[in-house]
Amino acid sequence: MRESTFVLIQYLSGLFVLVFGALHFASLTFLGVKNLNEALEYQNVLTRYKQIFWLSILGILMIAVTSHTFVGFRSILIEIKQGKKWELFVTLFAIIAGGIIILSGFRTILLAFLR
Amino acid sequence: MNLKFRILRYDPEEKRRYNQEYAVPFRKNMTILDALLYIKENLDHSLSFRYACQAGLCGSCGMIINGKENLACQTKIEEVGKIIELKPLHNFPVIKDLVVDFEAMFAKHSSIRPYIWREQEKFDSEYLQTPEELERFIMVASCINCGLCYSSCPVTGTDKLYLGPHALAQCYRYIMDTRDKDKKKRLDIIDSPHGIWRCHFAGECSEVCPKGVDPAYSIQQLKGFALLRRNELKRISVAPLKKEKRKFE
């Protein structure tokens, strides 16, 4: 994969985090949640997962945050140490670890939706 | 009036770094290189430094002068003060005193293929280029390979494989040259883990260049080409255009 592809993922995911992160916080207001304690109440959290629109926002936000984190982490690690093997290891680590987190996040979203 | 020179020296036999001070009599319009030549001739024959043209054209006498990369032949004593600290360039292995090894920088320069690529050479006539086409890269073509940008780059200091501002600016020079044909291949070389994307845009490379080359700008342009404007390269690869379509003065 070209390096610019990683950079494009990094830039786009950053943009998505901004937009969908804002929507995520806005969702609390739209759903009538008044304070932080109320936002974290089990029923309130579950309510958000029951609506496809908010659920999609949370799903996209989760993918964006994870991609942004691991692509950025990969860049930092490549700058700290150099070498072909290291680059391959770091890239595979970023893809696999990111993939596991995304799958695990989807599992949580799905479980909450079906509950 | 005497000037105080503090020079960071390196003895390769004993692998020892130490500071040595010299008192040099001031002369009007004296440059750092003049002072170094005075030290070499009158005070210490063992002091090593590199120089050639004494006119800011060869790029041999680059060094750290009071904390900033500069050419010794182009820096006047009046500009830097009475106490002058000289050090060898950063990010290069030191051979002796102020002489550094440029091998890594030139190897990176070679890796971007710093020459015009064409599948077939044209032997019957010259490659024509309009002044406007020349204007696109003439700024970068002024590079004298002095290594000041390479020394000032913070990324080059940490990432040994990073191509560096010198090689990347030269790559931009050939990409913007209408006579060059294989721009995509060139872009593939720099769109790599230690290519353009490692540049953090500190901008020091452009700040220290004695010839007004702007490597930081060139690298940002290359990032644009690599990320979104690969197709734009086709537009640049126009040489040789049919003569009737281009106006030559």
Side-chain angles (χ1 to χ4, degrees), chain A residues 5-14 16-17 59-75 94-95 97-99 101-102:
Chain A
T5 312
F6 284 109
V7 174
L8 195 63
I9 293 170
Q10 179 79 338
Y11 289 175
L12 287 177
S13 60
F16 274 54
V17 168
I60 294 169
L61 182 62
M62 187 261 296
I63 294 171
V65 169
T66 312
S67 315
H68 197 74
T69 305
F70 280 98
V71 174
F73 193 42
R74 175 188 168 272
S75 298
I95 292 170
I101 288 178
I102 287 172

Short mmCIF file of all heavy atoms in Angstrom, two decimals, chain A residues 5-14 16-17 59-75 94-95 97-99 101-102:
data_model
loop_
_atom_site.label_atom_id
_atom_site.label_comp_id
_atom_site.label_asym_id
_atom_site.label_seq_id
_atom_site.Cartn_x
_atom_site.Cartn_y
_atom_site.Cartn_z
N THR A 5 -1.80 6.46 0.84
CA THR A 5 -3.09 5.85 1.19
C THR A 5 -3.29 5.90 2.70
O THR A 5 -4.38 6.23 3.18
CB THR A 5 -3.15 4.38 0.69
OG1 THR A 5 -2.71 4.36 -0.66
CG2 THR A 5 -4.54 3.81 0.78
N PHE A 6 -2.21 5.58 3.44
CA PHE A 6 -2.30 5.67 4.91
C PHE A 6 -2.60 7.12 5.33
O PHE A 6 -3.39 7.36 6.23
CB PHE A 6 -0.97 5.23 5.55
CG PHE A 6 -0.78 3.74 5.56
CD1 PHE A 6 0.15 3.14 4.74
CD2 PHE A 6 -1.54 2.94 6.41
CE1 PHE A 6 0.32 1.76 4.74
CE2 PHE A 6 -1.37 1.56 6.42
CZ PHE A 6 -0.44 0.97 5.58
N VAL A 7 -1.94 8.04 4.66
CA VAL A 7 -2.12 9.46 5.00
C VAL A 7 -3.55 9.90 4.70
O VAL A 7 -4.17 10.62 5.49
CB VAL A 7 -1.09 10.34 4.24
CG1 VAL A 7 -1.36 11.81 4.49
CG2 VAL A 7 0.31 10.00 4.68
N LEU A 8 -4.07 9.43 3.57
CA LEU A 8 -5.46 9.76 3.22
C LEU A 8 -6.43 9.23 4.27
O LEU A 8 -7.36 9.92 4.69
CB LEU A 8 -5.78 9.18 1.83
CG LEU A 8 -7.03 9.72 1.16
CD1 LEU A 8 -6.91 11.21 0.88
CD2 LEU A 8 -7.31 8.98 -0.15
N ILE A 9 -6.18 7.97 4.71
CA ILE A 9 -7.02 7.39 5.77
C ILE A 9 -6.92 8.26 7.03
O ILE A 9 -7.92 8.55 7.68
CB ILE A 9 -6.57 5.93 6.08
CG1 ILE A 9 -6.85 5.03 4.89
CG2 ILE A 9 -7.26 5.39 7.33
CD1 ILE A 9 -6.24 3.64 4.99
N GLN A 10 -5.69 8.67 7.34
CA GLN A 10 -5.46 9.49 8.53
C GLN A 10 -6.22 10.82 8.47
O GLN A 10 -6.88 11.20 9.42
CB GLN A 10 -3.94 9.74 8.67
CG GLN A 10 -3.52 10.59 9.83
CD GLN A 10 -3.51 9.82 11.13
OE1 GLN A 10 -4.18 8.80 11.24
NE2 GLN A 10 -2.77 10.28 12.09
N TYR A 11 -6.13 11.49 7.32
CA TYR A 11 -6.80 12.79 7.16
C TYR A 11 -8.32 12.63 7.20
O TYR A 11 -9.01 13.37 7.89
CB TYR A 11 -6.39 13.45 5.83
CG TYR A 11 -4.97 13.96 5.78
CD1 TYR A 11 -4.44 14.49 4.61
CD2 TYR A 11 -4.13 13.91 6.89
CE1 TYR A 11 -3.13 14.96 4.55
CE2 TYR A 11 -2.83 14.38 6.84
CZ TYR A 11 -2.33 14.89 5.66
OH TYR A 11 -1.05 15.35 5.61
N LEU A 12 -8.82 11.65 6.43
CA LEU A 12 -10.28 11.48 6.36
C LEU A 12 -10.85 11.05 7.70
O LEU A 12 -11.89 11.56 8.13
CB LEU A 12 -10.64 10.46 5.27
CG LEU A 12 -10.47 10.94 3.82
CD1 LEU A 12 -10.80 9.81 2.85
CD2 LEU A 12 -11.36 12.14 3.53
N SER A 13 -10.16 10.11 8.37
CA SER A 13 -10.67 9.65 9.67
C SER A 13 -10.66 10.80 10.68
O SER A 13 -11.57 10.91 11.50
CB SER A 13 -9.88 8.44 10.18
OG SER A 13 -8.53 8.79 10.34
N GLY A 14 -9.65 11.66 10.60
CA GLY A 14 -9.60 12.83 11.48
C GLY A 14 -10.80 13.73 11.26
O GLY A 14 -11.42 14.21 12.22
N PHE A 16 -13.68 12.78 9.97
CA PHE A 16 -14.86 12.04 10.44
C PHE A 16 -15.00 12.12 11.96
O PHE A 16 -16.09 12.23 12.48
CB PHE A 16 -14.77 10.56 10.00
CG PHE A 16 -15.32 10.32 8.63
CD1 PHE A 16 -14.85 11.06 7.54
CD2 PHE A 16 -16.29 9.37 8.40
CE1 PHE A 16 -15.35 10.85 6.27
CE2 PHE A 16 -16.81 9.14 7.12
CZ PHE A 16 -16.33 9.89 6.06
N VAL A 17 -13.86 12.04 12.66
CA VAL A 17 -13.89 12.11 14.13
C VAL A 17 -14.47 13.47 14.55
O VAL A 17 -15.30 13.54 15.46
CB VAL A 17 -12.48 11.90 14.73
CG1 VAL A 17 -12.46 12.26 16.21
CG2 VAL A 17 -12.02 10.47 14.54
N GLY A 59 -21.15 3.88 15.28
CA GLY A 59 -20.34 2.89 14.53
C GLY A 59 -19.27 3.58 13.69
O GLY A 59 -18.09 3.20 13.72
N ILE A 60 -19.69 4.62 12.96
CA ILE A 60 -18.72 5.35 12.11
C ILE A 60 -17.66 6.02 12.98
O ILE A 60 -16.46 6.00 12.67
CB ILE A 60 -19.45 6.39 11.22
CG1 ILE A 60 -20.35 5.66 10.22
CG2 ILE A 60 -18.46 7.28 10.48
CD1 ILE A 60 -21.32 6.55 9.47
N LEU A 61 -18.09 6.59 14.10
CA LEU A 61 -17.15 7.26 15.01
C LEU A 61 -16.11 6.25 15.54
O LEU A 61 -14.92 6.55 15.61
CB LEU A 61 -17.92 7.90 16.17
CG LEU A 61 -17.08 8.68 17.19
CD1 LEU A 61 -16.39 9.86 16.52
CD2 LEU A 61 -17.94 9.18 18.34
N MET A 62 -16.61 5.07 15.86
CA MET A 62 -15.71 4.04 16.38
C MET A 62 -14.66 3.65 15.32
O MET A 62 -13.46 3.57 15.62
CB MET A 62 -16.55 2.81 16.80
CG MET A 62 -15.80 1.72 17.50
SD MET A 62 -15.37 0.40 16.39
CE MET A 62 -16.97 -0.21 15.90
N ILE A 63 -15.11 3.47 14.06
CA ILE A 63 -14.17 3.12 12.99
C ILE A 63 -13.17 4.26 12.77
O ILE A 63 -11.96 4.03 12.64
CB ILE A 63 -14.94 2.82 11.67
CG1 ILE A 63 -15.79 1.57 11.84
CG2 ILE A 63 -13.96 2.64 10.51
CD1 ILE A 63 -16.74 1.32 10.68
N ALA A 64 -13.69 5.50 12.76
CA ALA A 64 -12.82 6.66 12.50
C ALA A 64 -11.77 6.83 13.59
O ALA A 64 -10.59 7.02 13.30
CB ALA A 64 -13.67 7.92 12.38
N VAL A 65 -12.21 6.73 14.85
CA VAL A 65 -11.26 6.91 15.97
C VAL A 65 -10.19 5.81 15.93
O VAL A 65 -8.99 6.08 16.07
CB VAL A 65 -12.00 6.90 17.34
CG1 VAL A 65 -11.01 6.81 18.49
CG2 VAL A 65 -12.85 8.14 17.48
N THR A 66 -10.63 4.57 15.69
CA THR A 66 -9.67 3.46 15.67
C THR A 66 -8.68 3.61 14.52
O THR A 66 -7.47 3.44 14.71
CB THR A 66 -10.42 2.10 15.53
OG1 THR A 66 -11.49 2.09 16.48
CG2 THR A 66 -9.51 0.93 15.78
N SER A 67 -9.19 3.94 13.31
CA SER A 67 -8.30 4.10 12.16
C SER A 67 -7.30 5.23 12.42
O SER A 67 -6.10 5.08 12.19
CB SER A 67 -9.08 4.44 10.89
OG SER A 67 -10.18 3.62 10.77
N HIS A 68 -7.82 6.35 12.92
CA HIS A 68 -6.96 7.52 13.16
C HIS A 68 -5.86 7.17 14.18
O HIS A 68 -4.70 7.50 13.99
CB HIS A 68 -7.82 8.67 13.67
CG HIS A 68 -7.15 10.00 13.58
ND1 HIS A 68 -6.97 10.66 12.40
CD2 HIS A 68 -6.58 10.79 14.53
CE1 HIS A 68 -6.33 11.79 12.62
NE2 HIS A 68 -6.08 11.89 13.91
N THR A 69 -6.26 6.48 15.21
CA THR A 69 -5.31 6.10 16.27
C THR A 69 -4.20 5.22 15.71
O THR A 69 -3.02 5.50 15.90
CB THR A 69 -6.05 5.33 17.40
OG1 THR A 69 -7.12 6.13 17.84
CG2 THR A 69 -5.12 5.00 18.55
N PHE A 70 -4.59 4.16 15.02
CA PHE A 70 -3.57 3.18 14.62
C PHE A 70 -2.71 3.65 13.44
O PHE A 70 -1.53 3.31 13.39
CB PHE A 70 -4.22 1.81 14.35
CG PHE A 70 -4.48 1.09 15.64
CD1 PHE A 70 -5.73 1.12 16.22
CD2 PHE A 70 -3.46 0.42 16.30
CE1 PHE A 70 -5.97 0.48 17.43
CE2 PHE A 70 -3.68 -0.21 17.51
CZ PHE A 70 -4.95 -0.18 18.08
N VAL A 71 -3.29 4.42 12.53
CA VAL A 71 -2.46 4.96 11.45
C VAL A 71 -1.45 5.97 12.03
O VAL A 71 -0.27 5.97 11.67
CB VAL A 71 -3.31 5.60 10.33
CG1 VAL A 71 -2.44 6.27 9.29
CG2 VAL A 71 -4.18 4.55 9.65
N GLY A 72 -1.92 6.77 12.97
CA GLY A 72 -1.03 7.74 13.62
C GLY A 72 0.05 7.05 14.42
O GLY A 72 1.23 7.42 14.37
N PHE A 73 -0.35 6.01 15.15
CA PHE A 73 0.59 5.24 15.96
C PHE A 73 1.65 4.59 15.07
O PHE A 73 2.84 4.58 15.39
CB PHE A 73 -0.19 4.18 16.75
CG PHE A 73 0.59 3.52 17.84
CD1 PHE A 73 1.42 4.26 18.67
CD2 PHE A 73 0.49 2.15 18.07
CE1 PHE A 73 2.14 3.65 19.70
CE2 PHE A 73 1.21 1.53 19.08
CZ PHE A 73 2.04 2.29 19.90
N ARG A 74 1.21 4.09 13.92
CA ARG A 74 2.14 3.48 12.96
C ARG A 74 3.18 4.51 12.50
O ARG A 74 4.38 4.22 12.46
CB ARG A 74 1.35 2.95 11.76
CG ARG A 74 2.20 2.40 10.65
CD ARG A 74 1.37 2.07 9.42
NE ARG A 74 2.24 1.81 8.28
CZ ARG A 74 2.68 2.74 7.46
NH1 ARG A 74 2.35 4.00 7.66
NH2 ARG A 74 3.48 2.43 6.46
N SER A 75 2.72 5.72 12.17
CA SER A 75 3.64 6.77 11.72
C SER A 75 4.68 7.08 12.80
O SER A 75 5.87 7.22 12.50
CB SER A 75 2.89 8.06 11.41
OG SER A 75 2.00 7.83 10.37
N ALA A 94 -0.63 -2.57 13.28
CA ALA A 94 -1.66 -1.52 13.21
C ALA A 94 -2.93 -2.07 12.56
O ALA A 94 -4.04 -1.82 13.05
CB ALA A 94 -1.14 -0.32 12.43
N ILE A 95 -2.77 -2.84 11.48
CA ILE A 95 -3.95 -3.38 10.77
C ILE A 95 -4.68 -4.41 11.63
O ILE A 95 -5.91 -4.36 11.80
CB ILE A 95 -3.53 -3.97 9.40
CG1 ILE A 95 -3.07 -2.85 8.46
CG2 ILE A 95 -4.69 -4.75 8.76
CD1 ILE A 95 -2.41 -3.31 7.19
N ALA A 97 -4.41 -5.03 15.02
CA ALA A 97 -4.95 -4.48 16.28
C ALA A 97 -6.16 -3.59 16.00
O ALA A 97 -7.18 -3.69 16.70
CB ALA A 97 -3.87 -3.69 17.00
N GLY A 98 -6.07 -2.78 14.96
CA GLY A 98 -7.19 -1.91 14.59
C GLY A 98 -8.40 -2.75 14.21
O GLY A 98 -9.54 -2.46 14.61
N GLY A 99 -8.16 -3.81 13.43
CA GLY A 99 -9.23 -4.71 13.00
C GLY A 99 -9.93 -5.37 14.19
O GLY A 99 -11.17 -5.44 14.24
N ILE A 101 -10.09 -4.30 17.27
CA ILE A 101 -10.87 -3.29 18.03
C ILE A 101 -12.17 -2.95 17.31
O ILE A 101 -13.22 -2.83 17.93
CB ILE A 101 -10.00 -2.04 18.30
CG1 ILE A 101 -8.94 -2.40 19.35
CG2 ILE A 101 -10.84 -0.85 18.77
CD1 ILE A 101 -7.99 -1.32 19.70
N ILE A 102 -12.08 -2.83 15.99
CA ILE A 102 -13.31 -2.51 15.22
C ILE A 102 -14.32 -3.65 15.34
O ILE A 102 -15.51 -3.43 15.59
CB ILE A 102 -12.96 -2.20 13.75
CG1 ILE A 102 -12.26 -0.83 13.67
CG2 ILE A 102 -14.21 -2.20 12.86
CD1 ILE A 102 -11.70 -0.47 12.31
#
